[in-house]
């Protein structure tokens, strides 16, 4: 059954207050979701009052400042700090974003930082994306081809065929889209979600791939694909400005056209 | 936050597109027919029983109204099925609810068609 309320052990309690010792004039409050499964306690919302004069411009900078100056136990994922590794995806003031490419100044008031919605939480801002990655693997995101290219030759592709992959291959697998999708919240055990479907479409569109029909047949399923009701949250959320909703609509169109013998 | 089983759907039922197409086709039929229906009601000079009866007795109106009933209930059933699949995860309950709504829609549609028939005949 779809869940509309948090389970008892997930309701959030008020947490501790911290404050930067340096007393810069410009300050900002960050309310950060904390959860430690080992403590056996419910999650809590800690408040960090930061001195902005000694803080970098991005949300990730603020979180790292908290970690290095106020509470080293704060857990989060990050690596590239430039929007390319996809690991710092989290929910800031109600929207899924990459913390490293989101500017603090874009928010007028306090900033609320939560892990990605509707995923199991490992600790603090680190959510368990196991299912998400398994779904990605399930669409077999690699080239499938029977034809063997001539020796010492690459598989070539025309410029216009290559262009068909623009807007599809740039996905950094941050999961901002899938975890913003209501259909994915209710049915993530069966529905593949926008990120995996975008990856599927990337291979369906590749002129060098020879398993197009097989891929489409695999997706013709009430739950894997057709749970998408074009709500468009995914496209709205994508920090790389990709359009998974359109890719999904194209998959549906391609399957329908085949069915109708077009 | 949630406690879903960590399994990936690797099986394809090879259906889904059927439901999708039926939904689009019935919607396409419903667009002109609902417009016709609203328009006819709007331009009706009077709403009294005598006039309505006369209107229904025109074979043209009678047939179109029957099509409205059939396509409307068909489209309703497809939509309800989708909502149930979205929100009821338990397989048996899901199957039974879909079956139940299917029969309710068929029943209501048949009741509508029979009533129409009697009104026109009577
Ligand atoms: S368009 Fe589809 S995949 Fe995207 S948020 Fe909506 S239902 Fe989810
Ligand atoms: S499509 Fe966009 S939001 Fe979704 S995983 Fe890829 S980069 Fe992230
Ligand atoms: S740290 Fe790599 S995307 Fe944010």
């Amino acid at each position: 059954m779809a869940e509309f309320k948090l389970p008892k052990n997930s309701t959030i309690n008020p947490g501790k207050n911290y404050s930067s010792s340096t007393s810069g004039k410009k300050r900002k409050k960050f309310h950060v979701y904390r959860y430690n499964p080992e403590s056996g306690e419910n999650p809590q919302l800690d408040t960090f009052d930061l001195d902005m004069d000694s803080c970098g411009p991005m949300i990730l900078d603020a979180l790292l400042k908290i970690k290095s100056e106020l509470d080293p136990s704060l857990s989060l994922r990050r690596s590239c700090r430039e929007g390319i590794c996809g690991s710092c995806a989290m929910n800031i003031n109600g929207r899924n974003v990459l913390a490293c490419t989101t500017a603090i100044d874009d928010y007028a008031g306090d900033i609320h930082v939560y892990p990605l919605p509707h995923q199991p939480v490992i600790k603090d801002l680190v959510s368990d994306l196991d299912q998400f990655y398994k779904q990605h693997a399930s669409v077999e995101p690699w080239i499938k081809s029977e034809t063997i290219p001539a020796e010492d030759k690459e598989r070539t592709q025309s410029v216009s065929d290559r262009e068909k992959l623009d807007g599809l291959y740039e996905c950094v697998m941050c999961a901002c889209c899938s975890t913003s999708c209501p259909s994915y919240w209710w049915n993530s055990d069966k529905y593949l979600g926008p990120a995996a479907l975008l990856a599927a479409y990337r291979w369906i569109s590749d002129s060098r791939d020879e398993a197009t029909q097989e891929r489409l047949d695999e997706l013709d399923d009430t739950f894997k694909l057709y749970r998408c009701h074009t709500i468009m949250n995914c496209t709205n959320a994508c920090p790389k400005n990709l359009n998974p909703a359109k890719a999904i609509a194209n998959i549906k169109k391609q399957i329908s056209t085949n069915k109708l013998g077009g | 936050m949630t406690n879903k089983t960590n399994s990936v759907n690797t099986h394809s039922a090879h259906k889904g597109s059927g439901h999708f197409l039926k939904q689009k086709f019935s919607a396409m039929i419903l667009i002109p027919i609902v417009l016709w229906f609203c328009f006819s009601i709007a331009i009706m000079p009077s709403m009294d029983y005598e006039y309505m009866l006369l209107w229904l007795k025109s074979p043209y109106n009678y047939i179109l109204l029957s099509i409205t009933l059939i396509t409307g209930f068909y489209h309703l059933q497809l939509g309800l099925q989708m909502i149930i699949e979205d929100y009821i995860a338990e397989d048996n309950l899901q199957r039974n609810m879909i079956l139940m709504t299917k029969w309710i829609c068929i029943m209501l549609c048949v009741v509508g068609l029979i009533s129409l028939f009697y009104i026109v005949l009577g």
Side-chain angles (χ1 to χ4, degrees), chain A residues 165-227:
Chain A
L165 306 182
D166 285 344
L168 304 175
Y169 79 92
E170 301 93 329
C171 171
V172 297
M173 287 180 67
C174 61
C176 281
C177 56
S178 293
T179 59
S180 74
C181 168
S183 274
Y184 192 75
W185 296 340
W186 311 149
N187 289 302
S188 57
D189 51 338
K190 290 186 262 175
Y191 173 47
L192 292 180
L197 289 169
L198 180 83
Y201 188 61
R202 181 246 173 276
W203 288 102
I204 288 168
S205 309
D206 196 313
S207 62
R208 299 163 298 181
D209 189 86
E210 288 166 10
T212 312
Q213 194 52 47
E214 186 187 313
R215 291 179 191 279
L216 290 172
D217 284 348
E218 225 20 74
L219 292 177
D220 185 1
D221 181 88
T222 316
F223 282 93
K224 276 173 151 183
L225 170 68
Y226 289 94
R227 279 313 91 198

Side-chain angles (χ1 to χ4, degrees), chain B residues 33-50:
Chain B
I33 223 158
V34 166
L35 281 177
W36 160 80
F37 185 71
C38 295
F39 189 69
S40 312
I41 299 289
I43 59 164
M44 240 172 230
S46 102
M47 282 285 195
D48 60 32
Y49 182 75
E50 295 302 313

